[in-house]
């Protein structure tokens, strides 16, 4: 089923399944490799260089590790999206 999706929809479903993060936490996600401090973020972020998704939600700020296969897919998708 994931193969039928493309673009951000595919990435969103992948992150939802891989991290267990709430949909609201993933809805405002951005690429986070810009050096901002995660504890001050108002939105969630993907850190490919750190292999984690940093989510901001009703339970606060928390990092979620990205497994290598998911990291490879995200890296490939980001390269195609740019």
């Amino acid at each position: 089923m994931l193969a039928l999706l493309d673009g951000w929809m595919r990435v969103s479903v992948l992150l939802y399944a891989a991290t267990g993060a709430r949909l609201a936490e993933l809805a405002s996600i951005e690429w986070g490799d810009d050096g901002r401090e995660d504890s001050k973020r108002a939105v969630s972020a993907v850190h490919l260089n750190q292999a984690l998704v940093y989510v901001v939600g009703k339970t606060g700020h928390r990092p979620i590790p990205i497994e290598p296969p998911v990291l490879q897919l995200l890296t490939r998708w980001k390269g195609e999206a740019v």
Side-chain angles (χ1 to χ4, degrees):
M1 190 67 164
L2 189 59
L4 299 176
L5 301 175
D6 63 351
W8 181 242
M9 185 61 73
R10 181 177 179 155
V11 172
S12 298
V13 171
L14 176 67
L15 285 173
Y16 180 66
T19 65
R22 291 176 180 86
L23 290 176
E25 294 169 335
L26 297 176
S28 62
I29 207 161
E30 63 183 32
W31 298 105
D33 295 335
D34 61 5
R36 287 191 287 166
E37 290 184 51
D38 285 315
S39 62
K40 296 181 179 166
R41 281 185 179 275
V43 297
S44 302
V46 175
H47 291 284
L48 295 179
N49 64 350
Q50 297 174 22
L52 60 82
V53 175
Y54 200 87
V55 295
V56 179
K58 69 180 186 178
T59 59
H61 296 70
R62 70 186 189 285
I64 301 173
I66 303 173
E67 295 298 319
V70 176
L71 183 62
Q72 290 171 357
L73 288 171
L74 290 174
T75 301
R76 186 170 43 241
W77 181 82
K78 186 177 180 190
E80 292 171 1
V82 173

